[in-house]
Amino acid sequence: MSQLVNEGFDCTGIFDSHAHYFDTRFKEETEGADVILKRDVFGRGIDGVINIGTNNENSRICIAQAQKYEKMYATVGIHPEDVGYCKGSVDEELAQLCELFATPDIRKKNKVVALGEIGLDYHYEGFDKALQQEYFDRQLDIAKQYDLPVVIHDRDAHGDCFETVIRHGGVRGVFHSFSGSREMAMELVKRGWYISFSGVLTFKNARKCVEVAEAVPMDKILIETDCPYLAPHPYRGKINHSGLMYLTAQKLAEIKGISYSEAVAKTRENVRELFGV
């Protein structure tokens, strides 16, 4: 039924800054997200999880999941790959989105800590660049209005993503599962942005990713799963979950020349600083 890896490694203290436990793969290919979260995530000592929404529908699911677990938080947003599937106008979709965090009380109840996953994705043919850009710009404006950090998705759109966030001065956040250049990462860091690394950091062909991790200072680094995707080596291609993050933390520690416990503690501190949790 499942390719899920159930090794019982102690993950005490690790904070997963980017996960998608609403994803249907957990239901279709495993015992379900609740089982995984109880047994393989919080059951292994994971200190926290940011559950990341990609449209209005699954953002509500993210909120419902976060409300069930003390150490889970939610983000809400409209992903660039989802913009073409939105049923309403841009105004209507963004109005629905804002309802999920419109007041401090609603934000606290829904455990919403950021706006995301938002950004640009030019990977697949047929994307609507103008529509992606409109959603991206508008959501960055909303983030500034509500003083929320943002979670940026950037795939094959490095130049446009960089220019867009620079144009929206005063917005803070993280570029998740970073795939850009060392130079781009350092320019973002200079402006206060965080850089997050997924299991890709452990891949044997991830030379560029490793070079970026070498350059970015530890006080601007997060780690994540992007689960159920991007499982770290040697489980690449299998369903990912937060209980495998020790492999990413180990690789980061090796790259930075620090202890595993230092890598875990500092990335956890960074998540808490950015998202206020």
Side-chain angles (χ1 to χ4, degrees):
M1 174 186 178
S2 170
Q3 292 182 305
L4 187 73
V5 179
N6 290 316
E7 290 187 358
F9 193 89
D10 181 6
C11 294
T12 298
I14 295 176
F15 206 125
D16 186 353
S17 67
H18 193 111
H20 302 287
Y21 281 104
F22 63 84
D23 195 287
T24 56
R25 286 189 65 191
F26 285 110
K27 180 178 180 180
E28 295 166 354
E29 302 177 44
T30 78
E31 303 96 319
D34 282 330
V35 172
I36 305 309
L37 285 162
K38 291 173 183 176
R39 182 188 67 202
D40 301 309
V41 178
F42 300 121
R44 296 189 191 181
I46 290 291
D47 190 68
V49 174
I50 307 293
N51 204 25
I52 307 287
T54 68
N55 58 48
N56 278 320
E57 181 180 358
N58 64 41
S59 288
R60 295 185 185 95
I61 299 173
C62 279
I63 289 169
Q65 288 179 314
Q67 289 171 332
K68 293 172 64 175
Y69 297 96
E70 179 185 358
K71 295 182 177 181
M72 179 180 275
Y73 306 88
T75 76
V76 298
I78 300 176
H79 189 287
E81 287 188 301
D82 288 20
V83 300
Y85 301 101
C86 292
K87 297 177 181 178
S89 67
V90 177
D91 286 340
E92 290 168 339
E93 293 290 335
L94 294 180
Q96 290 179 40
L97 185 70
C98 290
E99 290 174 359
L100 302 176
F101 55 86
T103 69
D105 286 343
I106 292 174
R107 202 174 310 166
K108 182 177 180 180
K109 175 178 178 291
N110 289 347
K111 300 179 75 175
V112 173
V113 297
L115 196 63
E117 180 176 350
I118 65 175
L120 301 171
D121 191 316
Y122 300 165
H123 185 68
Y124 295 107
E125 293 183 6
F127 62 88
D128 188 331
K129 184 175 181 178
L131 186 60
Q132 285 192 18
Q133 189 69 60
E134 181 175 6
Y135 268 98
F136 193 17
D137 280 316
R138 297 273 303 271
Q139 289 180 100
L140 288 171
D141 287 339
I142 290 168
K144 187 170 184 179
Q145 176 186 347
Y146 286 90
D147 192 28
L148 282 170
V150 295
V151 178
I152 303 295
H153 172 98
D154 167 20
R155 183 157 61 163
D156 296 342
H158 306 315
D160 285 351
C161 272
F162 179 79
E163 290 176 7
T164 301
V165 298
I166 298 307
R167 192 166 64 246
H168 291 266
V171 179
R172 67 196 190 282
V174 57
F175 273 63
H176 102 89
S177 192
F178 189 79
S179 60
S181 67
R182 176 186 181 279
E183 292 74 20
M184 177 180 171
M186 297 311 293
E187 287 299 323
L188 288 167
V189 166
K190 286 179 185 177
R191 292 164 170 82
W193 287 81
Y194 290 79
I195 304 297
S196 182
F197 298 98
S198 65
V200 172
L201 189 66
T202 70
F203 293 177
K204 293 180 179 180
N205 61 347
R207 180 185 56 81
K208 185 171 75 169
C209 190
V210 169
E211 289 177 353
V212 174
E214 288 173 342
V216 175
M218 273 303 300
D219 64 354
K220 290 299 179 183
I221 292 179
L222 309 183
I223 54 175
E224 62 172 272
T225 54
D226 200 19
C227 69
Y229 308 98
L230 303 182
H233 176 79
Y235 305 114
R236 185 175 181 177
K238 297 185 178 182
I239 289 186
N240 197 11
H241 60 79
S242 307
L244 296 178
M245 282 189 69
Y246 69 93
L247 292 162
T248 306
Q250 285 176 345
K251 183 64 177 181
L252 178 63
E254 173 191 323
I255 292 168
K256 303 300 283 187
I258 60 177
S259 70
Y260 170 80
S261 60
E262 286 176 303
V264 168
K266 188 57 182 174
T267 53
R268 180 178 68 247
E269 178 185 328
N270 295 343
V271 176
R272 294 193 177 282
E273 175 69 22
L274 175 60
F275 294 110
V277 297

